Amino acid sequence: MKLFILLASLCLTLSTVSSSLQPYEAIFNFGDSLSDTGNFLLSGALAFPVIGKLPYGETFFRSATGRCSDGRLVVDFIAEAFGLPHLPPYLALSKGQDVKHGVNFAVAGATALDPQFFYQRKIGSVMWTNDSLSTQLGWFKKLKPSLCTTKQECDNYFKKALFLVGEIGGNDYNYAFFVGGNIKQLKASVPFVVEAITQATSALIEEGAVELVVPGNLPIGCSAVYLTLFRSPNEAVYDKRNGCLKAFNGFSKYHNSELKRALGALRLKYPHARIIYADYYGAAMPFYHAPQHYGFKSGTLRACCGGGGPYNFNNSARCGHIGSTACKDPSSYANWDGIHLTEAAYGYIAKGLIHGRFTTPL
């Protein structure tokens, strides 16, 4: 009952806020597992993906949808706030299907950089998918003729459409960190990742997009998978305020600052477009600092669903695999499966974005 009241209250708040905002009539989303609503599952990249069965999807949908969470994602809350249906995954579209309210191109495991970048560095074998941001952009271009044909028709349609370009880029770093890369090495790849994101944003503007939101990365130092893999007896590596790994959060902030700088240059190039930076990091940090205040009575660092360990993340018994169990109340946790967040956490992030506090410019 508490969960129902929380979500009902959140939806009411989002709906109230949305009435004073640009009335978008369509949303087109690009990204990775933070916003994939089914493409990875439909792609067949894995023979037996755990996100295709419960407990994934248990909270809201009551069944697995291909979302990497117990329920809704930020993109779902944004769609609801503007009175739009949840976005259908691109790979689920049938011939002649009405897609006037938007489509989701995001794929779990996707990277901003093309797969060749990782294969050249001998880490391509750990990638979940080859459907990178450029592939998703290709899907959009293929779909575009079914949305509009003439330039005027496209201009009229896209001026009422919101384009979400990410979050993307997190996996570009995850894959490298998880096979032994260090922060100094990974910092050298940030310009390439940021360039890939801004190039995709630029390409969408060239295709007619004028309203774009480009999110930054979450604080990875607060993620159960990072806290587990990079656990240290040295207390100095942890932030005393929240228990997160300081250096990894510093890396996230570095990526975000470089992305914001690049988006500033893009605004000068395309003054007719509204390019908004979404501060996922800033929207998430309040509940890491004060879990109880946000209803996360079970904390924010330990995963709801997992196979044990200090942060309930066990790589040999991940959520959905044999040896793992899910908590009874996901809304009391911020972390869902060690890597992804719960619906409750995504709801707070969405609320922070829609209110405008964590978007730049407002």
Side-chain angles (χ1 to χ4, degrees):
M1 180 60 73
K2 287 182 180 178
L3 175 62
F4 176 79
I5 293 171
L6 166 70
L7 297 177
S9 171
L10 180 61
C11 288
L12 180 63
T13 304
L14 294 179
S15 298
T16 304
V17 172
S18 70
S19 63
S20 63
L21 298 177
Q22 166 85 14
Y24 298 117
E25 295 179 4
I27 297 174
F28 295 95
N29 182 76
F30 304 79
D32 55 26
S33 58
L34 297 193
S35 61
D36 181 3
T37 55
N39 283 315
F40 179 80
L41 199 60
L42 293 161
S43 73
L46 286 180
F48 304 102
V50 294
I51 61 170
K53 61 181 182 180
L54 292 171
Y56 285 88
E58 67 177 16
T59 295
F60 179 81
F61 301 99
R62 305 298 184 215
S63 63
T65 63
R67 289 168 173 80
C68 294
S69 183
D70 62 304
R72 289 167 291 182
L73 312 175
V74 172
V75 65
D76 295 314
F77 286 112
I78 291 175
E80 290 175 7
F82 291 103
L84 297 173
H86 294 153
L87 302 184
Y90 173 76
L91 294 180
L93 299 182
S94 56
K95 190 173 182 180
Q97 183 175 339
D98 183 0
V99 292
K100 67 179 180 181
H101 290 308
V103 173
N104 194 341
F105 301 96
V107 182
T111 51
L113 293 166
D114 286 342
Q116 292 88 332
F117 180 89
F118 304 95
Y119 283 103
Q120 288 168 0
R121 287 157 180 77
K122 311 298 183 187
I123 57 174
S125 61
V126 301
M127 297 179 71
W128 279 26
T129 179
N130 289 329
D131 294 329
S132 63
L133 186 54
S134 64
T135 296
Q136 296 172 32
L137 188 59
W139 289 345
F140 170 74
K141 290 178 180 178
K142 187 177 178 181
L143 182 74
K144 186 180 174 184
S146 67
L147 301 170
C148 57
T149 49
T150 67
K151 185 181 185 303
Q152 181 158 4
E153 186 184 3
C154 288
D155 287 347
N156 290 336
Y157 177 69
F158 288 135
K159 72 181 180 183
K160 297 176 183 176
L162 176 64
F163 286 76
L164 300 172
V165 191
E167 181 275 337
I168 190 77
N171 288 320
D172 296 69
Y173 307 130
N174 289 341
Y175 292 135
F177 275 132
F178 297 167
V179 295
N182 61 49
I183 288 176
K184 185 177 179 181
Q185 291 170 330
L186 267 292
K187 272 194 171 184
S189 69
V190 170
F192 298 106
V193 174
V194 167
E195 184 181 13
I197 297 169
T198 54
Q199 282 182 347
T201 305
S202 177
L204 287 168
I205 295 171
E206 295 288 348
E207 291 291 333
V210 290
E211 296 275 336
L212 305 101
V213 170
V214 185
N217 283 352
L218 287 165
I220 60 172
C222 301
S223 177
V225 61
Y226 276 86
L227 287 162
T228 300
L229 295 179
F230 301 100
R231 194 178 175 203
S232 172
N234 181 5
E235 291 184 7
V237 305
Y238 297 96
D239 189 327
K240 292 180 180 178
R241 296 170 297 173
N242 48 45
C244 302
L245 291 162
K246 290 189 288 187
F248 287 98
N249 276 357
F251 179 84
S252 292
K253 288 198 283 187
Y254 175 69
H255 164 89
N256 292 343
S257 65
E258 291 300 295
L259 179 60
K260 282 189 282 187
R261 188 168 61 82
L263 293 179
L266 214 56
R267 291 187 191 104
L268 295 177
K269 184 179 179 181
Y270 299 106
H272 71 286
R274 199 158 73 112
I275 305 169
I276 300 166
Y277 172 73
D279 184 7
Y280 275 27
Y281 187 105
M285 284 312 294
F287 60 70
Y288 285 114
H289 287 323
Q292 299 291 329
H293 177 75
Y294 290 89
F296 296 120
K297 60 181 182 290
S298 299
T300 51
L301 305 183
R302 186 174 166 82
C304 160
C305 182
Y311 300 98
N312 199 29
F313 179 82
N314 180 343
N315 205 35
S316 60
R318 298 192 305 276
C319 181
H321 289 270
I322 295 171
S324 70
T325 56
C327 65
K328 290 183 178 179
D329 182 12
S331 71
S332 68
Y333 288 76
N335 193 294
W336 166 242
D337 61 3
I339 300 172
H340 309 98
L341 303 183
T342 58
E343 173 178 280
Y346 285 135
Y348 281 118
I349 292 171
K351 187 176 177 181
L353 302 181
I354 293 167
H355 270 292
R357 183 182 167 195
F358 296 104
T359 55
T360 311
L362 297 178

